[in-house]
Amino acid sequence: MSTSPEAPDRALPRVIVIGGGFAGLAAAKILARERVRLTVLDKRNHHVFQPLLYQVATAGLSPADIAMPIRAVLRNMPDTEVLMARVERVDTGGKLVHLDRGESLPYDYLLIATGARHSYFGKPEWEKVAPGLKNLEEATEIRKRILTAFEEAERATDPARREACLTFVIVGGGPTGIEMAGAIAELARNALAADFNRINPTLARVILVEAGDRLLSAMAPVLSARAKRSLEKLGVTVRLGGRVTDVTPEGVAIGAEFIPARTTIWAAGVEPSPLAKTLGVPLDKSGRVIVEVDLSIPGHPEVFVAGDLAHVVYKGGTVPGMAPGAMQEGRAAARNILLKLGGRPARPFKYVDKGSLATIGRASAVAEVGPIKISGVIAWYMWLVVHIMYLIGFRNRLLVLIQWTWSYVTFQRGTRLITDASAPK
C-alpha cells in the first residue's frame, strides 16, 4: 500500500531498501524525495533509537519515547511504499527480493541494511536465559525481568533465594554493558529504595563481567579506567578478565566460580544478519559483507550494503558499528544510487569520525572526540545533547527531555510497570 495518496509511477526505476534502522532510514529519506519508485521493507513497523533502549529496559523511558512508525517518517512521499515483511533471501542474479509469504519483489537498485543480532559465541541456548538489547521487545522483556526480580525478592523467605533475586549480572563491558550496569544500580539505589518493606533494594548486587582487560575497549585506556571508577562509585562490581563459561536460570559461571543470579543480561557480542549469506559474495570472519569503496557488493554494482552488515575499511580497521557511521553509510549509498541512475559514477565512501560517547550514570559519562578525551558531567551533557538531537521527531525529543529532567530532579523512574500476563500475581 502506497504511503502517498497517488498510485506509484510504474515507469520509474524501482529501488528497494531492506531495513528501517539508522542506515536504511537515512537512505530512504533521501531516495523518497527523488524520482524513483521506493519500497522500504522491515519486519517491524517502527524505527527504534537503539542507543536509548537501555533506558526503556531500566524503566527510565517508555517504548514510544524512542520509537516512531516508519510510515510516519515517510508519509506524503510520492512513489514510496512501506511493507512490514521479513526478507528470506536475495537473488542478485534475478534482481529479486524474496519475502516470508512467498512474494518476490523485483528491483533495479537495492540497499541492504538489516543490521546485526546478538552473538552467543556458539551457545544459542543462553539467549532465553540472558536476553540482549537490540529491539523494543527485548527492552521490555528485560524491564519485566528486572522489576520482577525485586518483587520475587520481596516474597522470598529463603535468604539464598532472596540474594539471588537481588543479583544482576551483565555480560559485556562495551557501551551497552556499562550503561545497563549503571542504570540498574541507580534504579536500585534511588528509584526503588523506599518502595519495599521486606527488602532493602540498595543492597542489590550489580556485577559487570568483561572478558577483556578493560572496559570500553574501543576507547582510550584512560577513559576505560574512568568508566570503571565511576561504576564502582555506583556500587557496581566490575569483573575484568572474566570469561563466562555457562549461563543458567540459576546464575552465571565464570570459570570455576558460580554466581547465583536470577537476572542475566547479555551485552557481549553481535553478529550480522543472516541475509548476508544469501548474497553469494565474500564475507569477513564476523559474517559482514566486504563491500567495495562505494558500498556496493563485488560483481553487483546495483546492490549496496550499509550499517552493521557492511565491512567498511577505515584506518586499518573498520567503521565502528554505531549510529553515526550507519547513517553516513546509508546516505552515501542513497546518493550513489542516484548518481548511477543519472549515468554518473559512484563516489567512494568517506567516513567522518564524530567520536564516541558512553554514559555511566547520573551526570556521568565518557567522551572521545579525536584527541579530546572528556569524562564526568561535561561528557554527560554532550551525550544528552547528541542523543536528543538524533531522535526522530520533535515529539520524541520533547518527551525524552521532560522525562530526563524529571528523573534527574526527583531520582524517580516513571515506567516501572510489569505488564506481562505471565508475571507473578
Side-chain angles (χ1 to χ4, degrees), residues 349-367:
F349 170 69
K350 294 182 180 180
Y351 173 61
V352 179
D353 188 354
K354 297 185 178 181
S356 301
L357 293 162
T359 182
I360 301 158
R362 177 183 168 87
S364 179
V366 291

Side-chain angles (χ1 to χ4, degrees), residues 17 28 53 69 137 227 238 248 267 283 289 291 336 356 392 403:
V17 174
L53 278 172
E137 295 90 342
V238 179
T248 73
L283 308 178
V289 178
V291 297
N336 278 339
S356 301
I392 293 177
Q403 289 271 28

Side-chain angles (χ1 to χ4, degrees), residues 76-425:
N76 299 323
M77 296 293 187
D79 305 306
T80 298
E81 65 177 3
V82 178
L83 297 178
M84 192 174 81
R86 184 185 300 273
V87 176
E88 298 291 342
R89 63 186 179 90
V90 175
D91 176 7
T92 53
K95 291 188 177 182
L96 292 172
V97 173
H98 296 281
L99 307 183
D100 51 351
R101 295 182 184 176
E103 306 106 312
S104 296
L105 300 179
Y107 64 83
D108 295 299
Y109 284 89
L110 173 66
L111 171 61
I112 306 172
T114 46
R117 59 182 184 178
H118 304 295
S119 172
Y120 288 85
F121 308 110
K123 299 286 186 178
E125 65 273 15
W126 291 356
E127 185 171 9
K128 290 183 178 180
V129 183
L133 194 58
K134 283 291 183 183
N135 53 58
L136 288 178
E137 295 90 342
E138 291 170 341
T140 53
E141 172 64 20
I142 290 172
R143 182 182 69 185
K144 184 195 77 171
R145 294 190 186 198
I146 292 172
L147 297 177
T148 300
F150 286 99
E151 297 293 344
E152 287 289 318
E154 180 83 344
R155 293 183 59 181
T157 55
D158 176 42
R161 176 175 173 78
R162 178 175 291 178
E163 183 178 354
C165 288
L166 292 176
T167 299
F168 302 86
V169 178
I170 299 94
V171 183
T176 300
I178 69 165
E179 288 167 353
M180 281 297 304
I184 294 173
E186 289 191 332
L187 178 69
R189 285 155 180 76
N190 297 320
L192 300 181
D195 284 7
F196 294 85
N197 296 320
R198 300 180 182 179
I199 63 170
N200 182 358
T202 65
L203 299 179
R205 297 172 65 204
V206 181
I207 303 171
L208 178 61
V209 182
E210 165 57 39
D213 59 0
R214 64 186 180 95
L215 303 176
L216 299 172
S217 60
M219 301 181 77
V222 64
L223 295 180
S224 300
R226 291 174 187 173
K228 183 174 181 290
R229 287 197 298 270
S230 296
L231 285 171
E232 290 172 341
K233 286 181 181 179
L234 288 174
V236 177
T237 300
V238 179
R239 298 283 302 270
L240 298 177
R243 188 171 298 278
V244 172
T245 54
D246 197 15
V247 181
T248 73
E250 286 70 43
V252 176
I254 305 174
E257 179 187 3
F258 186 79
I259 301 174
R262 301 294 175 177
T263 307
T264 304
I265 300 166
W266 193 262
V270 295
E271 62 184 17
S273 161
L275 195 61
K277 298 177 182 178
T278 73
L279 299 176
V281 295
L283 308 178
D284 67 10
K285 62 181 181 180
S286 299
R288 295 177 298 178
V289 178
I290 302 174
V291 297
E292 304 284 8
V293 294
D294 63 354
L295 302 179
S296 66
I297 67 174
H300 293 279
E302 75 284 354
V303 179
F304 293 80
V305 177
D308 288 343
L309 194 64
H311 174 113
V312 184
V313 176
Y314 174 71
K315 289 186 176 180
T318 58
V319 173
M322 298 186 294
M327 294 172 72
Q328 289 179 43
E329 290 171 18
R331 295 188 190 108
R335 294 185 183 113
N336 278 339
I337 289 173
L338 295 174
L339 284 172
K340 290 189 175 186
L341 284 170
R344 290 171 290 174
R347 296 173 182 171
F349 170 69
K350 294 182 180 180
Y351 173 61
V352 179
D353 188 354
K354 297 185 178 181
S356 301
L357 293 162
T359 182
I360 301 158
R362 177 183 168 87
S364 179
V366 291
E368 183 173 15
V369 184
I372 301 173
K373 300 170 180 61
I374 306 171
S375 62
V377 66
I378 295 177
W380 185 80
Y381 277 120
M382 289 176 59
W383 178 90
L384 178 68
V385 170
V386 167
H387 281 69
I388 286 181
M389 290 309 298
Y390 271 115
L391 277 171
I392 293 177
F394 174 79
R395 172 185 173 275
N396 297 66
R397 294 189 186 111
L398 182 61
L399 284 176
V400 170
L401 185 60
I402 291 172
Q403 289 271 28
W404 268 337
T405 301
W406 184 81
S407 298
Y408 188 88
V409 172
T410 66
F411 286 90
Q412 294 298 306
R413 291 173 180 255
T415 55
R416 304 196 307 271
L417 305 177
I418 302 172
T419 56
D420 194 298
S422 64
K425 294 180 174 65

Side-chain angles (χ1 to χ4, degrees), residues 19-73:
F22 286 111
L25 200 58
K29 288 196 288 186
I30 291 176
L31 294 166
R33 296 192 294 265
E34 304 296 332
R35 293 290 293 163
V36 299
R37 184 182 171 198
L38 176 64
T39 299
V40 179
L41 304 172
D42 197 286
K43 61 185 178 182
R44 294 179 175 84
N45 79 327
H46 57 269
H47 167 85
V48 62
F49 190 75
Q50 287 188 342
L52 291 181
L53 278 172
Y54 85 96
Q55 286 276 343
V56 175
T58 55
L61 295 171
S62 70
D65 293 336
I66 66 165
M68 195 164 193
I70 298 172
R71 292 182 183 277
V73 178

